């Protein structure tokens, strides 16, 4: 009895908080028909918002992938002073409200900010421009890859790398032939999450963007503007794009999880694998 | 290739892992580094390999200073305690790794690699597992793959860290015989680390016994077993009974027994050690050195009968006697017996 009650509660909770909004997004977006829906995507402001979001992702995701690998490598494979501080710092963007993160960047790069006079003297614009948006997005999504890799690399230890070195491999050979193959699924998982968050980030971006139509609006900001203008079909149509991307991310994430679990099982040595398929 | 280690010192923070250690491994020998955990034996092995740098001292390969050679240049084969096989590669690719990462001009052709790997897997009798992944192998098989991977690059020295540590007793026994035979076949200078004295004494040409970061004794298995340099070595190489004794009139006394002191030794207190199988039991007093005790426990399972005695002064003493002896004595629990050490080792200590 309790079992069914619990399942019922969990299910209705899910329906109310996840399925219902998702359905609403798509039904509202298509409420005036497919034509009205598609027209939104022909709008130049929408197109530039999508373009800006893609640019932001193209900056933030590779940067954080690189940083994540380097930080996880350092933390997992070496002993050094201040390691705990580094681990805590990596978590900082998770613990700080995105709005605060955005404000911090205004305080640093804004015209009244620390670097403001120097930047304006050199005609460099960061806040209320594309670089600022890319910067805060990178900051907010910084932990994803590193957080994913650190426990994985710590668990795997350094013996395999040492074995490769003793066998004559160079540092780079060791990384590409031993380390990277061992972390690839965890890495991919981190990149997917990082990508999802980079596309969807609202708070921090909203603070530094300045909401200049066609110039500094990302997809989430564009949704808000359309909604505030009572253009519900437009707002929900653009929102449906984000929702669709979320579903794709979810699917990719499951595939990667399934793959990494399988390879994890192969790697940690569950013997069942020995009997099937070989 | 012979290895020489000169005055190596290694510290980890406050802890001194190796304290001025010197060691010589003659070319072609199989040497065991034996000691309790934390004695520095693995650190020494890793320093020889180049995986760790010594704070002081030098490592020489065939008389040539290799202290500052990088691990890749040392041409050593290293077998890790937990094998460290590349988990995402098949057995074949694991063994081929050392050949594939060679600089282009030294790298063998694909066909040569294939032949070499097959030959190595043949050496360890695992050709049939070439396409399997490490996780699909048993512990003993992984160990042999790790060994053939290390041999693939034709190392001048083979270093093994607790090679049988993670295996169960049966596999362990057969693998160490196999390692001995393999060494007799290929004659590569080898050093292995172990905490198991039986393993060291059975497999090695020479045994180096370490304690607290120093070498206490080294020699052939017979030498160290028959002439242990210190009480530590004696205790470490097998079960012992320890009788603390007092010294007076040039003799060591335990209860009513008196023992001659070793000629050259100096000290105020004496420790008398007797191996369990060097004890003789009887129902009545015999010889000029015996003591009374009562039987606390008897374990007749196994090739010897193990008897635990309690002396009149409250010490427990382990005794191993043959089955015939056990039947002759007809021992029972709480029975009173007289015991005498046949062979003793006496070490004197200051203070």
């Amino acid at each position: 009895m309790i079992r069914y009650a619990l399942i019922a509660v969990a299910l209705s909770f899910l329906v109310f908080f996840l399925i219902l909004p998702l359905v609403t997004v798509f039904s509202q977006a298509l409420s005036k028909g497919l034509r009205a829906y598609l027209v939104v995507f022909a709008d130049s402001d929408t197109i530039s918002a999508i373009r800006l979001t893609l640019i932001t992702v193209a900056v933030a995701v590779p940067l954080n992938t690189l940083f994540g690998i380097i930080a996880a490598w350092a933390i997992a494979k070496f002993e050094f002073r201040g390691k705990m501080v580094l681990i805590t710092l990596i978590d900082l963007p998770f613990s700080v409200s995105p709005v605060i993160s955005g404000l911090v960047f205004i305080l640093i790069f804004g015209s009244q900010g620390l670097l403001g006079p120097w930047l304006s003297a050199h005609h460099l614009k960061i806040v209320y421009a594309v670089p600022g948006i890319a910067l805060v997005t990178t900051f907010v999504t910084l932990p994803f890859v590193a957080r994913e890799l650190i426990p994985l690399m710590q668990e795997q230890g350094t013996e395999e790398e040492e074995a490769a070195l003793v066998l004559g491999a160079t540092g780079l050979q060791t990384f590409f032939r031993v380390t990277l193959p061992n972390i690839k699924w965890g890495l991919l998982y981190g990149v997917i999450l990082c990508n999802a968050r980079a596309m969807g980030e609202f708070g921090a971006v909203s603070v530094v963007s300045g909401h200049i139509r066609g110039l500094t609006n990302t997809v989430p900001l564009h949704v808000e503007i359309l909604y505030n203008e009572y253009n519900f079909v437009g707002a929900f149509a653009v929102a449906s794009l984000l929702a669709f991307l979320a579903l794709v991310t979810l699917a990719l994430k499951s595939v990667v999880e399934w793959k990494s679990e399988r390879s994890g099982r192969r790697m940690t040595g569950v013997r069942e694998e020995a009997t099937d398929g070989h | 290739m012979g290895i020489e280690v000169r005055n190596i010192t290694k510290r980890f923070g406050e802890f001194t892992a190796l304290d001025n250690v010197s060691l010589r491994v003659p070319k072609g020998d199989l040497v065991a580094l034996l000691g309790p955990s934390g004695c520095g034996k693995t650190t020494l092995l890793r320093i020889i390999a180049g995986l760790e740098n010594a704070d002081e001292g030098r490592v020489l390969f065939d008389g040539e200073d290799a202290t500052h050679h990088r691990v890749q240049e040392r041409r050593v084969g290293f077998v890790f305690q937990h094998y460290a096989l590349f988990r995402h590669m098949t057995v074949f690719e694991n063994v081929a790794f050392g050949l594939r990462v060679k600089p282009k001009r030294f790298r063998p052709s694909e066909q040569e690699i294939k032949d070499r790997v097959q030959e190595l897997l043949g050496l360890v009798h695992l050709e049939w597992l070439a396409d399997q992944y490490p996780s699909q192998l048993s512990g003993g098989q992984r160990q042999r793959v790790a060994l053939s991977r290390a041999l693939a690059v034709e190392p001048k020295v083979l270093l093994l860290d607790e090679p049988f540590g993670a295996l169960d007793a049966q596999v362990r026994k057969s693998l160490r015989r196999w390692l001995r035979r393999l060494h007799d076949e290929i004659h590569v200078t080898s050093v292995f680390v172990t905490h198991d004295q039986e393993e060291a004494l059975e497999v090695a040409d020479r045994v180096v016994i370490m304690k607290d970061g120093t070498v206490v004794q080294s020699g052939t298995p017979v030498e160290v077993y028959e002439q242990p340099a210190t009480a530590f070595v004696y205790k470490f190489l097998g079960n012992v009974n320890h009788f603390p004794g007092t010294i007076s009139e040039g003799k060591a006394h335990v209860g009513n027994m008196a023992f001659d002191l070793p000629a050259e030794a100096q000290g105020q207190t004496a420790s008398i050690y007797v191996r369990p199988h060097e004890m003789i039991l009887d129902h009545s007093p015999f010889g000029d050195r015996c003591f009374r005790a009562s039987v606390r426990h008897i374990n007749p399972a196994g090739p010897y009968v193990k008897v635990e005695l309690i002396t009149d002064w409250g010490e427990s003493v382990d005794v191993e006697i043959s089955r015939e002896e056990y039947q002759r004595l007809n021992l029972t629990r709480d029975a009173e017996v007289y015991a005498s050490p046949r062979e003793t080792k006496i070490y004197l200590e200051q203070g």
Side-chain angles (χ1 to χ4, degrees), chain A residues 109-165:
Chain A
F109 297 108
S111 54
Q112 311 294 316
L114 268 178
L115 300 177
W118 185 86
L119 286 171
S120 64
H122 290 80
H123 304 289
L124 292 172
K125 210 160 161 44
I126 291 193
V127 166
Y128 309 130
V130 178
I133 293 169
L135 264 178
V136 286
T137 307
T138 306
F139 175 80
V140 171
T141 58
L142 178 138
F144 285 100
V145 175
R147 293 277 332 209
E148 199 56 48
L149 291 185
I150 290 168
L152 183 67
M153 287 172 94
Q154 274 175 334
E155 185 211 308
Q156 291 181 346
T158 51
E159 272 204 341
E160 284 182 50
E161 277 85 1
E162 285 184 341
L165 293 176

Side-chain angles (χ1 to χ4, degrees), chain A residues 160 162 169 177 266 271, chain B residues 46 72 87-88 101 135-136:
Chain A
E160 284 182 50
E162 285 184 341
R177 289 172 185 245
R266 194 178 78 202
R271 298 272 292 165
Chain B
R46 289 172 61 86
Q72 290 99 329
R87 58 191 99 187
H88 63 283
V101 296
S135 62
Q136 298 168 315

Side-chain angles (χ1 to χ4, degrees), chain B residues 47-337:
Chain B
I47 287 174
I48 296 174
L51 287 169
E52 209 90 58
N53 286 316
D55 297 325
E56 288 159 40
R58 299 201 289 155
V59 178
L60 288 86
F61 286 171
D62 265 347
E64 190 197 335
D65 195 337
T67 314
H68 300 292
H69 289 182
R70 294 187 315 147
V71 50
Q72 290 99 329
E73 298 162 356
R74 295 202 186 189
R75 302 238 356 236
V76 299
F78 200 101
V79 177
F80 291 82
Q81 184 176 4
H82 302 289
Y83 324 125
L85 294 177
F86 305 125
R87 58 191 99 187
H88 63 283
M89 293 182 201
T90 60
V91 166
F92 181 94
E93 286 304 322
N94 262 281
V95 178
F97 186 88
L99 303 171
R100 290 201 195 285
V101 296
K102 276 178 192 274
K104 246 203 174 93
R105 63 209 143 93
F106 300 120
R107 199 182 307 154
S109 71
E110 197 54 37
Q111 187 57 44
E112 281 166 335
I113 290 177
K114 209 172 159 190
D115 293 344
R116 179 97 183 103
V117 173
Q118 287 301 340
E119 181 196 327
L120 281 160
L121 288 176
L123 190 67
V124 298
H125 309 296
L126 290 176
E127 304 98 317
W128 54 289
L129 288 177
D131 297 327
Q132 305 277 297
Y133 284 91
S135 62
Q136 298 168 315
L137 311 182
S138 70
Q141 289 167 340
R142 284 180 213 184
Q143 181 59 273
R144 277 139 70 197
V145 173
L147 196 64
S148 54
R149 180 178 70 176
L151 291 174
V153 289
E154 291 174 351
K156 296 187 278 182
V157 176
L158 187 60
L159 306 171
L160 306 103
D161 185 10
E162 296 272 1
F164 316 113
L167 301 169
D168 50 53
Q170 286 291 323
V171 185
R172 215 176 158 118
K173 278 223 157 101
S174 74
L175 257 186
R176 69 193 193 205
R177 299 241 162 89
W178 174 82
L179 176 71
R180 181 66 241 185
R181 279 202 306 275
L182 184 79
H183 182 265
D184 292 341
E185 235 172 89
I186 58 176
H187 274 300
V188 57
T189 310
S190 309
V191 181
F192 75 100
V193 156
T194 180
H195 61 263
D196 181 340
Q197 81 285 352
E198 209 185 309
E199 194 169 290
L201 295 176
E202 185 184 318
V203 178
D205 296 317
R206 295 178 69 79
V207 179
V208 176
I209 297 157
M210 295 183 64
K211 184 199 178 205
D212 298 335
T214 57
V215 172
V216 221
Q217 189 178 7
S218 66
T220 64
V222 175
E223 278 167 15
V224 295
Y225 191 79
E226 309 255 301
Q227 292 135 33
T230 67
F232 167 80
V233 175
Y234 192 69
K235 280 188 278 185
F236 196 70
L237 291 181
N239 295 328
V240 285
N241 293 300
H242 173 219
F243 302 96
T246 52
I247 296 178
S248 64
E249 293 154 22
K251 285 189 182 267
H253 299 272
V254 178
N256 56 356
M257 298 178 289
F259 299 91
D260 290 331
L261 296 178
E264 70 286 7
Q266 296 279 316
Q268 279 93 49
T269 60
S271 283
I272 293 111
Y273 294 97
V274 187
R275 299 233 184 259
H277 65 266
E278 304 282 14
M279 298 288 298
I280 313 168
L281 299 184
D282 215 331
H283 288 299
S284 50
F286 62 99
D288 51 354
R289 280 197 301 238
C290 75
F291 59 88
R292 200 175 60 177
S294 62
V295 176
R296 182 151 75 175
H297 184 75
I298 301 170
N299 174 12
Y304 299 101
V305 178
K306 299 187 187 79
V307 182
E308 189 188 342
L309 305 177
I310 288 285
T311 63
D312 280 355
W313 61 93
E315 292 246 24
S316 116
V317 177
D318 290 326
V319 179
E320 279 174 22
I321 54 175
S322 66
R323 307 199 73 88
E324 297 78 46
E325 191 65 6
Y326 173 61
Q327 272 148 18
R328 182 183 74 83
L329 289 167
N330 194 20
L331 287 181
T332 52
R333 250 186 92 143
D334 297 327
E336 196 167 273
V337 289

